[in-house]
């Protein structure tokens, strides 16, 4: 029997922080009294509907990363990075040690300029290891308006916003070492709104042909 | 309860039929893994969307597990169902370590056995040491609340590795008489 997801999902088209996502349990316990049959029927109807909606949209896959801040500033749709897809092909260490991706969404400062220069995603998405950067829409595939974040199966609404500052071990590696300071930044992530130097996005689709994906993918510009 | 049954039998006609139909349709559409177009983060109107792989196509053949991606990634790796590259070019070897650490500050819960042998086939030492954990057993004060916040084990087990809801995959070492702490 295949494993099943919980019924929580993003409300279609809405903000992910909407607490009114479909309930985890199907209807069947509402109403009861004969005087409330009409209400019960409505409730059951709504329950069944919510149930069906919940069933048919299981939510984003656990580990799907959304990078949106710079993409949005550059008038592009947010980037969706699927962990499940990449971890079948690469161990975590390839990206998180060899290529220098941080283990905190939004913490790796990167832009198209880095990618074109062969860093980060661009180390692989260069037409050799994987299809090249001309296929904008395969990466810039996110719904407009999403914040930086990551999908997590464990959290009801499925999608948690990124904490920009790494709330790592108290011994903050950033200060450079194992000097144990007993003050964890307890839930007070200092905002790292680093105004990153604008890197130049490629002016247009590059010539790089993609044999695996011959259909040209157009970028999804924001209106 | 009896009243509910009679309610349903009395209305067995149109309403139940419709309800059943809608439910069946819902179950038929329901997959253990969401479809990209319905997952709430992809833009349905993106012309590139059909080129992306649907999670179910890749994940359904892999060893199943409860929660997360619905995949037991440890078994997938150990059984050879997947063989992710250890380095970018696939060459070279990686450093692994077979060292278990028994974490006993678990209150009423079974103890936690942290296994380097399970983690190091995926991760580099530098992914955990010294950023997340001290390189000395018992040095890192870990609590469940912090894990749920996304620190320590929660860095990965909140959102990428199997999720924190699967208590017994970590808390699986029965406490023995030999005292805690």
């Amino acid at each position: 029997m295949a494993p099943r997801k919980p019924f929580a999902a993003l409300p279609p088209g809405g903000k992910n922080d909407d607490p009114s996502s479909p309930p985890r349990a199907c209807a069947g316990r509402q109403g009861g009294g004969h005087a409330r049959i009409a209400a019960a029927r409505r409730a059951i109807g709504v329950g069944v509907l919510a149930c069906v909606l919940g069933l048919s949209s299981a939510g984003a896959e656990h580990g799907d990363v959304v990078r949106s801040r710079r993409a949005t500033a550059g008038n592009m749709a947010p980037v969706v990075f699927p962990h499940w897809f990449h971890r079948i092909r690469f161990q975590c260490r390839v990206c998180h040690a060899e290529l220098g991706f941080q283990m905190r969404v939004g913490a790796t400062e990167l832009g198209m300029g880095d990618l074109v220069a062969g860093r980060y995603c661009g180390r692989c998405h260069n037409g050799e290891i994987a299809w090249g950067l001309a296929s904008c829409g395969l990466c810039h595939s996110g719904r407009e308006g999403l914040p930086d974040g990551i999908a997590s199966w464990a959290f009801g609404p499925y999608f948690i916003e990124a904490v920009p500052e790494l709330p790592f071990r108290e011994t903050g590696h950033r200060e450079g070492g194992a000097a144990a300071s007993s003050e964890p930044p307890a839930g007070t992530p200092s905002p790292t709104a680093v105004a990153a130097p604008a890197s130049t996005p490629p002016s247009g689709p590059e010539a790089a042909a993609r044999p695996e994906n011959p259909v040209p993918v157009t970028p999804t510009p924001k209106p | 309860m009896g009243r509910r049954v009679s309610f349903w039998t009395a209305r067995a006609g149109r309403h139940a039929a419709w309800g059943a139909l809608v439910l069946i349709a819902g179950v038929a559409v329901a997959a253990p893994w969401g479809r990209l177009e319905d997952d709430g983060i992809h833009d349905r109107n993106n012309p590139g969307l059909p080129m992306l792989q649907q999670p179910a196509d890749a994940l359904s053949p892999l060893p199943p597990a409860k929660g997360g991606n619905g995949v037991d990634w440890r078994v997938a790796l150990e059984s050879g169902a997947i063989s992710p590259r250890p380095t970018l070019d696939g060459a070279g070897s990686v450093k692994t370590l077979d060292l278990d650490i028994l974490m006993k500050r678990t209150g009423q819960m079974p103890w936690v056995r942290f296994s380097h042998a399970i983690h190091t086939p995926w991760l580099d030492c530098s992914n955990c040491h010294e950023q997340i954990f001290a390189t000395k057993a018992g040095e890192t004060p870990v609590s469940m609340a912090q894990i749920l916040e996304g620190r320590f084990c929660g860095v990965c087990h909140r959102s990428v590795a199997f999720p924190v809801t699967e208590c017994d995959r970590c808390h699986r070492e029965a406490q023995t008489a030999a005292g805690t702490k």
Side-chain angles (χ1 to χ4, degrees):
Chain A
M1 183 51 202
R4 171 163 293 288
K5 293 222 163 250
F7 296 151
L10 289 168
K15 275 287 284 181
N16 63 74
D17 48 3
D18 186 346
S20 65
S21 47
R24 276 164 189 263
C26 291
R29 286 268 167 268
Q30 295 102 324
H34 50 273
R36 305 209 309 266
I37 279 191
R41 262 177 60 194
R42 263 201 305 279
I44 290 170
V46 168
V48 166
L49 201 82
C51 208
V52 168
L53 276 177
L55 280 169
S56 56
S57 57
E61 200 52 44
H62 185 68
D64 277 357
V65 169
V66 172
R67 293 268 316 210
S68 137
R69 197 160 30 93
R70 294 182 63 162
T72 305
N75 252 359
M76 290 291 288
V79 173
V80 178
F81 168 83
H83 263 107
W84 60 268
F85 183 96
H86 287 85
R87 74 179 291 187
I88 291 174
R89 293 160 174 79
F90 299 95
Q91 295 175 11
C92 324
R93 52 161 54 85
V94 173
C95 290
H96 290 294
E98 213 177 327
L99 301 191
F101 283 109
Q102 304 273 337
M103 278 197 180
R104 187 55 75 206
V105 170
T108 321
E109 275 305 332
L110 55 85
M112 284 314 288
D114 297 293
L115 271 47
V116 171
R119 288 190 289 271
Y120 301 114
C121 320
R123 275 291 277 282
C124 299
H125 288 277
N126 54 7
E128 286 170 33
I129 295 176
W131 38 262
L133 295 175
S135 314
C136 319
L138 296 188
C139 289
H140 292 275
S141 63
R143 216 180 66 205
E144 209 183 299
L146 286 176
D148 278 7
I150 188 162
S152 169
W153 187 89
F155 290 78
Y158 252 82
F159 186 72
I160 43 189
E161 282 195 40
V163 187
E165 189 59 64
L166 309 187
F168 278 145
R169 196 161 82 93
E170 285 80 81
T171 56
H173 66 289
R174 299 210 140 182
E175 289 79 59
S181 99
S182 52
E183 288 304 296
T188 49
S190 47
T192 43
V194 185
S199 41
T200 35
S203 45
E206 292 128 342
R210 305 170 58 240
E212 321 84 34
N213 286 307
V215 189
V217 183
T218 47
T220 50
K222 289 157 40 102
Chain B
M1 207 63 226
R3 193 169 288 132
R4 287 182 64 82
V5 172
S6 64
F7 162 75
W8 277 108
T9 40
R11 304 275 167 180
R14 263 203 340 265
H15 295 294
W18 269 111
L21 232 162
V22 172
L23 258 181
I24 289 165
V27 171
V29 171
W33 296 276
R35 307 265 319 158
L36 295 180
E37 53 276 19
D38 298 327
D39 71 359
I41 63 172
H42 283 93
D43 175 6
R44 295 165 184 243
N45 304 320
N46 174 1
L49 199 58
M51 281 190 203
L52 298 179
Q53 188 176 35
Q54 293 291 346
D57 295 343
L59 302 181
S60 57
L62 299 180
K66 226 161 107 289
N69 299 119
V71 169
D72 190 325
W73 290 106
R74 176 180 65 87
V75 172
L77 185 70
E78 285 170 1
S79 67
I82 60 170
S83 44
R85 283 189 186 182
T87 56
L88 191 55
D89 54 12
S93 61
V94 297
K95 190 172 166 193
T96 58
L97 177 69
D98 188 0
L99 170 69
D100 282 8
I101 286 159
L102 206 51
M103 308 179 89
K104 298 182 177 174
R105 288 171 292 208
T106 56
Q108 302 292 303
M109 295 288 286
W111 290 334
V112 172
R113 179 184 289 277
F114 174 84
S115 160
H116 278 90
I118 293 175
H119 286 86
T120 51
W122 292 100
L123 292 151
D124 193 71
C125 314
S126 69
N127 290 137
C128 289
H129 298 298
E130 295 276 317
Q131 299 188 5
I132 308 179
F133 298 107
T135 316
K136 188 163 187 308
E139 276 291 283
T140 319
V142 180
S143 78
M144 208 52 225
Q146 289 171 307
I147 292 175
L148 292 167
E149 259 172 31
R151 297 153 134 256
F152 305 115
C153 318
V155 169
C156 298
H157 287 283
R158 191 176 67 147
S159 53
V160 180
F162 76 82
V164 280
T165 43
E166 308 304 297
C167 317
D168 51 342
R169 285 181 75 176
C170 287
H171 291 278
R172 61 182 170 162
E173 200 72 22
Q175 296 199 9
T176 58
T180 43
K181 264 263 150 80

